[in-house]
C-alpha cells in the first residue's frame, strides 16, 4: 500500500487570541486505499503535540496556546494505520498579551483621604483578568508616595492616601492566564 501524499496546503482559517483553527483539502492522490483519518502535528519551541481527526473532518482547532509563541502546524493523511507525508508546515504566532493604556484618572478629595481612581484599558480585555498599576509621586523632586495596586481588568484601581499637589507617574501591566504584558509607558 502506497502512502498518501501530503494535503496540498494548510490555511490559517481563524485566529482569536491563543486559539488557532487550521483547515486543509484532502490530497488529490490518496495512494492505494482510502484515507481513514488525518494526523495533525503541532510544534513549538517547547513541545510537540500529535492529534487525529476523522477522515471527513478537514479542520483542527488548537486552543489554550501560549501567547507570543511561534507554532508550526502540519497535517498528514493516514491510510490503514500508516501515516503519509506531512504537509509543509504552516507557521503562525499567537501574539502577545496586550499592553494596557491608562485611559483615565480621577481624584477624590475629602476630609478623611485623598483617593486617585485609575482606569487602564486593555484592547484584548477578554484575555486579561487583572491590571497592576505602579505609581510614584514626587513633590519638589522628592519621592513622597509610591506603591502598587491591582484590580480586575476593566475596573478602576484605587490609590489611597494620595499626596496633594504632587505629581503621580503611573505605569500598568496586564495579567492573564497566559502571561504578563510589557509595562505601559
Amino acid at each position: 500500500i502506497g502512502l498518501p501524499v501530503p494535503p496540498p496546503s494548510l490555511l490559517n482559517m481563524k485566529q482569536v487570541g491563543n486559539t488557532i483553527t487550521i483547515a486543509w483539502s484532502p490530497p488529490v492522490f490518496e495512494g492505494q486505499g482510502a484515507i481513514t483519518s488525518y494526523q495533525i502535528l503541532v510544534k513549538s519551541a517547547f513541545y510537540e503535540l500529535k492529534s487525529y481527526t476523522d477522515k471527513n473532518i478537514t479542520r483542527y482547532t488548537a486552543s489554550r496556546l501560549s501567547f507570543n509563541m511561534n507554532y508550526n502546524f502540519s497535517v498528514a493523511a493516514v491510510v490503514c494505520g500508516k501515516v503519509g507525508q506531512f504537509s509543509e508546515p504552516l507557521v503562525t504566532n499567537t501574539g502577545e498579551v496586550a499592553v494596557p493604556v491608562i485611559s483615565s484618572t480621577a481624584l477624590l478629595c475629602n476630609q478623611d483621604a485623598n483617593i486617585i481612581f485609575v482606569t487602564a484599558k486593555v484592547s484584548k480585555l477578554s484575555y486579561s483578568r487583572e491590571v497592576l498599576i505602579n505609581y510614584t509621586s514626587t513633590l519638589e523632586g522628592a519621592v513622597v508616595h509610591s506603591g502598587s495596586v491591582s484590580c480586575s481588568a476593566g475596573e478602576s484601581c484605587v490609590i489611597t492616601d494620595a499626596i496633594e499637589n504632587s505629581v503621580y507617574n503611573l505605569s500598568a501591566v496586564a495579567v492573564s492566564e497566559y502571561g504578563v504584558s510589557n509595562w505601559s509607558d
Side-chain angles (χ1 to χ4, degrees):
I1 293 177
L3 293 177
V5 297
S9 63
L10 299 181
L11 303 172
N12 185 352
M13 293 196 48
K14 185 176 180 183
Q15 183 169 342
V16 177
N18 68 334
T19 298
I20 297 172
T21 299
I22 61 166
W24 59 92
S25 299
V28 176
F29 172 71
E30 296 180 2
Q32 295 180 345
I35 293 174
T36 54
S37 63
Y38 291 96
Q39 184 180 48
I40 298 92
L41 183 61
V42 182
K43 289 184 179 181
S44 75
F46 301 107
Y47 79 92
E48 179 176 305
L49 169 74
K50 292 180 184 174
S51 187
Y52 291 88
T53 67
D54 183 78
K55 65 182 178 182
N56 298 319
I57 299 174
T58 56
R59 67 182 329 153
Y60 176 78
T61 299
S63 59
R64 300 184 61 84
L65 301 170
S66 297
F67 274 101
N68 200 26
M69 179 77 63
N70 284 330
Y71 287 91
N72 297 328
F73 290 83
S74 297
V75 176
V78 179
V79 174
C80 297
K82 295 185 180 181
V83 178
Q85 298 172 350
F86 278 93
S87 63
E88 287 295 319
L90 169 69
V91 180
T92 187
N93 186 292
T94 50
E96 56 189 44
V97 178
V99 175
V101 175
I102 296 175
S103 58
S104 66
T105 57
L107 178 62
L108 173 65
C109 301
N110 62 32
Q111 293 175 336
D112 299 325
N114 295 326
I115 300 172
I116 300 174
F117 295 94
V118 181
T119 303
K121 291 191 177 185
V122 182
S123 63
K124 296 179 182 175
L125 184 61
S126 61
Y127 309 125
S128 298
R129 64 174 186 260
E130 184 180 14
V131 173
L132 176 68
I133 307 283
N134 275 352
Y135 61 90
T136 304
S137 170
T138 56
L139 183 62
E140 298 178 0
V143 174
V144 292
H145 191 209
S146 64
S148 298
V149 293
S150 65
C151 56
S152 296
E155 297 180 2
S156 292
C157 295
V158 179
I159 299 172
T160 58
D161 301 324
I163 308 297
E164 286 187 58
N165 301 317
S166 64
V167 176
Y168 276 82
N169 294 311
L170 306 168
S171 61
V173 67
V175 179
S176 80
E177 64 183 284
Y178 313 109
V180 177
S181 72
N182 292 325
W183 285 95
S184 66
D185 293 331

